[in-house]
Amino acid sequence: MILSIRHRVFSTRDEDTKMMMGVMEVIDFNAYDLKYLSDTDLSYNPALGTGQIQVKDIHYVTIIKRTTWEFCQLLDKKFIASKKGYRLWLEYAEQNGWIK
């Protein structure tokens, strides 16, 4: 599950301590099941590390109903389409027992 929060921060400086005193106000929120985010909203970014996906803009997403199996296939497709490619995907698949 993904929790998306829009917030505002109000702050003032305490004149005695010179510390900033802040309050965060939640102004909107949404919760999403990761597997239902559209394929255009998700991207595989190799710069984030192995297995890291990125949501383009969590405040504006499209929901697509799909099964867990369809979501796994989408993740595989995004990984293979990245700079890492099919060869590394196959290596991970064999290493982790994904191929039966």
Side-chain angles (χ1 to χ4, degrees):
M1 294 300 292
I2 297 174
L3 177 62
S4 164
I5 298 174
R6 287 185 182 265
H7 68 284
R8 259 191 298 247
V9 176
F10 302 96
S11 62
T12 57
R13 184 177 300 274
D14 183 306
E15 292 304 319
D16 295 331
T17 64
K18 304 297 184 207
M19 293 183 65
M20 295 298 291
M21 307 298 284
V23 174
M24 183 176 76
E25 175 187 20
V26 175
I27 56 175
D28 193 19
F29 70 93
N30 288 299
Y32 307 104
D33 186 329
L34 177 63
K35 78 177 180 186
Y36 295 143
L37 296 186
S38 75
D39 60 334
T40 57
D41 291 322
L42 293 173
S43 63
Y44 177 80
N45 185 344
L48 296 176
T50 301
Q52 302 293 314
I53 57 174
Q54 191 170 18
V55 179
K56 289 184 181 172
D57 187 342
I58 193 60
H59 298 298
Y60 302 99
V61 296
T62 303
I63 301 300
I64 304 290
K65 292 286 187 175
R66 65 170 62 92
T67 66
T68 302
W69 173 241
E70 291 168 330
F71 183 65
C72 289
Q73 290 175 314
L74 172 67
L75 293 177
D76 287 346
K77 185 173 83 173
K78 292 223 176 249
F79 183 95
I80 292 168
S82 76
K83 293 177 184 175
K84 303 233 177 185
Y86 177 77
R87 182 171 293 169
L88 190 55
W89 175 89
L90 184 59
E91 185 179 312
Y92 287 145
E94 290 170 346
Q95 176 183 348
N96 293 296
W98 299 340
I99 299 174
K100 304 291 180 201

